mmCIF file with all atom_site columns, all heavy atoms in Angstrom:
data_model
loop_
_atom_site.group_PDB
_atom_site.id
_atom_site.type_symbol
_atom_site.label_atom_id
_atom_site.label_alt_id
_atom_site.label_comp_id
_atom_site.label_asym_id
_atom_site.label_entity_id
_atom_site.label_seq_id
_atom_site.pdbx_PDB_ins_code
_atom_site.Cartn_x
_atom_site.Cartn_y
_atom_site.Cartn_z
_atom_site.occupancy
_atom_site.B_iso_or_equiv
_atom_site.pdbx_formal_charge
_atom_site.auth_seq_id
_atom_site.auth_comp_id
_atom_site.auth_asym_id
_atom_site.auth_atom_id
_atom_site.pdbx_PDB_model_num
ATOM 1  N N   . PRO A 1 4  ? 10.954 -27.404 44.494 1.00 86.00 ? 4  PRO A N   1
ATOM 2  C CA  . PRO A 1 4  ? 9.509  -27.303 44.367 1.00 86.00 ? 4  PRO A CA  1
ATOM 3  C C   . PRO A 1 4  ? 8.911  -26.424 45.464 1.00 86.00 ? 4  PRO A C   1
ATOM 4  O O   . PRO A 1 4  ? 9.333  -26.474 46.619 1.00 86.00 ? 4  PRO A O   1
ATOM 5  C CB  . PRO A 1 4  ? 9.016  -28.745 44.491 1.00 86.00 ? 4  PRO A CB  1
ATOM 6  C CG  . PRO A 1 4  ? 10.164 -29.571 44.876 1.00 86.00 ? 4  PRO A CG  1
ATOM 7  C CD  . PRO A 1 4  ? 11.402 -28.778 44.695 1.00 86.00 ? 4  PRO A CD  1
ATOM 8  N N   . HIS A 1 10 ? 1.996  -38.287 47.377 1.00 94.00 ? 10 HIS A N   1
ATOM 9  C CA  . HIS A 1 10 ? 2.375  -39.654 47.012 1.00 94.00 ? 10 HIS A CA  1
ATOM 10 C C   . HIS A 1 10 ? 1.611  -40.123 45.781 1.00 94.00 ? 10 HIS A C   1
ATOM 11 O O   . HIS A 1 10 ? 2.165  -40.782 44.898 1.00 94.00 ? 10 HIS A O   1
ATOM 12 C CB  . HIS A 1 10 ? 2.119  -40.576 48.202 1.00 94.00 ? 10 HIS A CB  1
ATOM 13 C CG  . HIS A 1 10 ? 2.364  -42.023 47.908 1.00 94.00 ? 10 HIS A CG  1
ATOM 14 N ND1 . HIS A 1 10 ? 3.354  -42.467 47.067 1.00 94.00 ? 10 HIS A ND1 1
ATOM 15 C CD2 . HIS A 1 10 ? 1.737  -43.145 48.334 1.00 94.00 ? 10 HIS A CD2 1
ATOM 16 C CE1 . HIS A 1 10 ? 3.323  -43.792 47.000 1.00 94.00 ? 10 HIS A CE1 1
ATOM 17 N NE2 . HIS A 1 10 ? 2.341  -44.217 47.766 1.00 94.00 ? 10 HIS A NE2 1
ATOM 18 N N   . LYS A 1 29 ? -4.766 -60.536 9.427  1.00 90.00 ? 29 LYS A N   1
ATOM 19 C CA  . LYS A 1 29 ? -5.615 -60.971 8.328  1.00 90.00 ? 29 LYS A CA  1
ATOM 20 C C   . LYS A 1 29 ? -4.955 -62.156 7.637  1.00 90.00 ? 29 LYS A C   1
ATOM 21 O O   . LYS A 1 29 ? -3.803 -62.088 7.220  1.00 90.00 ? 29 LYS A O   1
ATOM 22 C CB  . LYS A 1 29 ? -5.827 -59.826 7.346  1.00 90.00 ? 29 LYS A CB  1
ATOM 23 C CG  . LYS A 1 29 ? -6.955 -60.038 6.388  1.00 90.00 ? 29 LYS A CG  1
ATOM 24 C CD  . LYS A 1 29 ? -7.258 -58.765 5.646  1.00 90.00 ? 29 LYS A CD  1
ATOM 25 C CE  . LYS A 1 29 ? -8.547 -58.909 4.896  1.00 90.00 ? 29 LYS A CE  1
ATOM 26 N NZ  . LYS A 1 29 ? -8.899 -57.650 4.226  1.00 90.00 ? 29 LYS A NZ  1
ATOM 27 N N   . LYS A 1 49 ? -1.334 -71.950 11.162 1.00 75.00 ? 49 LYS A N   1
ATOM 28 C CA  . LYS A 1 49 ? -0.351 -71.091 10.543 1.00 75.00 ? 49 LYS A CA  1
ATOM 29 C C   . LYS A 1 49 ? -0.577 -71.105 9.030  1.00 75.00 ? 49 LYS A C   1
ATOM 30 O O   . LYS A 1 49 ? -0.787 -72.157 8.433  1.00 75.00 ? 49 LYS A O   1
ATOM 31 C CB  . LYS A 1 49 ? 1.050  -71.600 10.860 1.00 75.00 ? 49 LYS A CB  1
ATOM 32 C CG  . LYS A 1 49 ? 2.143  -70.619 10.581 1.00 75.00 ? 49 LYS A CG  1
ATOM 33 C CD  . LYS A 1 49 ? 3.449  -71.109 11.189 1.00 75.00 ? 49 LYS A CD  1
ATOM 34 C CE  . LYS A 1 49 ? 4.491  -70.037 11.062 1.00 75.00 ? 49 LYS A CE  1
ATOM 35 N NZ  . LYS A 1 49 ? 5.749  -70.456 11.651 1.00 75.00 ? 49 LYS A NZ  1
ATOM 36 N N   . THR A 1 51 ? 0.422  -71.135 5.317  1.00 62.00 ? 51 THR A N   1
ATOM 37 C CA  . THR A 1 51 ? 1.584  -71.540 4.534  1.00 62.00 ? 51 THR A CA  1
ATOM 38 C C   . THR A 1 51 ? 1.722  -70.612 3.338  1.00 62.00 ? 51 THR A C   1
ATOM 39 O O   . THR A 1 51 ? 0.736  -70.321 2.654  1.00 62.00 ? 51 THR A O   1
ATOM 40 C CB  . THR A 1 51 ? 1.457  -72.995 4.053  1.00 62.00 ? 51 THR A CB  1
ATOM 41 O OG1 . THR A 1 51 ? 0.237  -73.120 3.315  1.00 62.00 ? 51 THR A OG1 1
ATOM 42 C CG2 . THR A 1 51 ? 1.439  -73.942 5.232  1.00 62.00 ? 51 THR A CG2 1
ATOM 43 N N   . LYS A 1 52 ? 2.913  -70.137 3.100  1.00 62.00 ? 52 LYS A N   1
ATOM 44 C CA  . LYS A 1 52 ? 3.154  -69.222 1.988  1.00 62.00 ? 52 LYS A CA  1
ATOM 45 C C   . LYS A 1 52 ? 3.503  -70.032 0.758  1.00 62.00 ? 52 LYS A C   1
ATOM 46 O O   . LYS A 1 52 ? 4.373  -70.898 0.784  1.00 62.00 ? 52 LYS A O   1
ATOM 47 C CB  . LYS A 1 52 ? 4.262  -68.248 2.337  1.00 62.00 ? 52 LYS A CB  1
ATOM 48 C CG  . LYS A 1 52 ? 3.846  -67.352 3.476  1.00 62.00 ? 52 LYS A CG  1
ATOM 49 C CD  . LYS A 1 52 ? 4.886  -66.303 3.756  1.00 62.00 ? 52 LYS A CD  1
ATOM 50 C CE  . LYS A 1 52 ? 4.309  -65.420 4.850  1.00 62.00 ? 52 LYS A CE  1
ATOM 51 N NZ  . LYS A 1 52 ? 5.232  -64.613 5.509  1.00 62.00 ? 52 LYS A NZ  1
#
Side-chain angles (χ1 to χ4, degrees):
H10 175 35
K29 195 169 191 177
K49 195 168 187 179
T51 56
K52 295 185 176 163

